[in-house]
Amino acid sequence: MTVPTAVTEPGAPAPLKADDFRSDQEVRWCPGCGDYAILNAVAAVFPKLGLKKEDFVVVSGIGCSSRFPYYMDTFGFHGIHGRAPAIATGLKASRPDLHVWVVTGDGDGLSIGGNHLIHAMRRNTDLKILLFNNRIYGLTKGQASPTSEIGKKTASSPLGTVERPFNPIALALASEATFVARSVDVYKDHLQETLLRAAQHRGSAFVEIYQNCNIFNDGAFNDLTEREVRETANLTLRHGEPLVFGAKNARKGLRRRAGDGKLEVVAFGDGIDESSLMKHDETAQDPGLAYALGHLEPPDYPAAIGVFRAIEVPTFEDRVWGQIDTARKAKPKADLAALLRRGDVWQIGEDGTIVEIGG
Ligand SMILES: Cc1ncc(C[n+]2csc(CCOP(=O)(O)OP(=O)(O)O)c2C)c(N)n1
Ligand code: SF4
């Protein structure tokens, strides 16, 4: 049940590098797809964990993003649509020593797989769950997904979608994930930092990654990522620090509005400085502020990126193995074969005869 330890013993093999985690498979994503940047970030983070390649398993569902396990030189499992969390939960429960990562898309994880995803997080299974959010179904050529905005015209919504989108951060918080974060495919350093934090967390670590699908939803995150707007459109969350954003000479921040308590943007000056702003507390037991931060978006607010929540509670597999240990101690001589044969059990012989072997 222990997490594998770093390879530090004398005579241990040389530390691994990002390239050691890349497989020899031809990468089949469209040129320019944001998935490449995420693959590079994951390959850069894995060696930092000091584990062996065979300690990692990457589990996916179906979608462009779910091709991920082929491109990593680790163990991997390309599952069926939406079922990566279920497969990963079974694996982690039976082999808690493995470092299990789930790669899923907004369609895979939030539509057909929504139920599986929320329960993996509710249980606090020690999984690192990366949700590639391109707000579209990429693999099936551009249908609306559960994160597509209202009015989005797609192959499946020619007049514009009429459905309200999911907010993945809110969903993860409501499911009681113990680590909830958001990053962006093109924010190389931020993405790596966030993935490393997720990797080091014990429990369900959910990371939403805004990912550009340049073929079917190009520019979906331009209002954050374009150079001219980056400084004002992004609020980077830092534990214990005030919620500040904006250009150096035009700093702004967030505070609670008197009266209704809603988050409001205030500009520095006229008595307003860092001390008048709210501070970010990723360890808060009450996820209320994290929930509000997860909903902020341009143009009225900056979009929050970083770690919204990081709390420690026992993991699913710790509880499962704790219970197994208790049961084993209570009945050290339990006989599984006898248990299975208890009651009315028959064996059918090759000649068709039935012999009663239980009861
Ligand atoms: C049971 C089942 N239903 C539907 C499909 C068709 N299908 C394949 S991938 C996909 C959605 C993929 O979208 P997303 O998870 O957002 O991944 P992306 O391709 O954008 O990375 C769908 C609906 C399927 N493969 N299996
Ligand atoms: S269709 Fe979109 S998500 Fe899929 S590989 Fe191409 S660019 Fe990437």
Side-chain angles (χ1 to χ4, degrees), residues 29-30 33 35 64 134 138-139 211 213-216:
W29 292 317
C30 308
C33 175
D35 289 356
C64 297
N134 54 19
L139 187 74
Q211 173 248 321
C213 167
N214 55 315
I215 301 299
F216 296 110

Side-chain angles (χ1 to χ4, degrees), residues 29 35 62-66 80-81 83 104-112 132-141 143 145-147 211 213:
W29 292 317
D35 289 356
I62 299 290
C64 297
S65 37
S66 289
I80 52 172
H81 204 14
R83 288 352 183 220
T104 183
D106 44 291
D108 186 64
L110 301 177
S111 189
I112 192 169
F132 293 24
N133 185 5
N134 54 19
R135 295 187 175 158
I136 204 82
Y137 288 179
L139 187 74
T140 48
K141 299 190 179 356
Q143 297 83 23
S145 88
T147 53
Q211 173 248 321
C213 167

Side-chain angles (χ1 to χ4, degrees), residues 229-244:
V229 296
R230 262 193 203 185
E231 264 181 330
T232 47
N234 294 272
L235 164 68
T236 308
L237 302 173
R238 291 191 184 86
H239 179 62
E241 293 189 18
L243 299 169
V244 174

Side-chain angles (χ1 to χ4, degrees), residues 38 63 86 95 112 143 167 212 257 268 347 359:
I38 307 174
R95 287 287 309 273
I112 192 169
Q143 297 83 23
N167 178 314
N212 195 38
R257 192 161 62 194
F268 278 32
Q347 189 168 348

Side-chain angles (χ1 to χ4, degrees), residues 90-148:
L91 177 62
K92 185 70 192 178
S94 57
R95 287 287 309 273
D97 56 313
L98 296 174
H99 221 259
V100 183
W101 292 60
V102 170
V103 172
T104 183
D106 44 291
D108 186 64
L110 301 177
S111 189
I112 192 169
N115 196 28
H116 299 269
L117 183 68
I118 60 177
H119 290 289
M121 295 191 283
R122 169 177 76 82
R123 295 181 181 121
N124 197 31
T125 318
D126 186 15
L127 303 175
K128 316 302 146 206
I129 303 167
L130 312 186
L131 185 123
F132 293 24
N133 185 5
N134 54 19
R135 295 187 175 158
I136 204 82
Y137 288 179
L139 187 74
T140 48
K141 299 190 179 356
Q143 297 83 23
S145 88
T147 53
S148 298

Side-chain angles (χ1 to χ4, degrees), residues 141-217:
K141 299 190 179 356
Q143 297 83 23
S145 88
T147 53
S148 298
E149 61 277 19
I150 291 188
K152 177 91 187 165
K153 290 190 177 161
T154 70
S156 60
S157 57
L159 300 181
T161 175
V162 293
E163 297 168 28
R164 292 190 305 159
F166 262 136
N167 178 314
I169 297 293
L171 185 89
L173 289 168
S175 307
E176 304 289 347
T178 50
F179 181 95
V180 179
R182 180 193 281 148
S183 192
V184 185
D185 54 3
V186 290
Y187 295 175
K188 185 176 160 210
D189 294 342
H190 187 266
L191 180 57
Q192 284 191 29
E193 240 172 70
T194 310
L195 294 178
L196 188 60
R197 287 275 324 267
Q200 289 163 340
H201 177 77
R202 249 176 85 62
S204 289
F206 174 86
V207 184
E208 176 188 24
I209 306 170
Y210 286 158
Q211 173 248 321
N212 195 38
C213 167
N214 55 315
I215 301 299
F216 296 110
N217 201 16

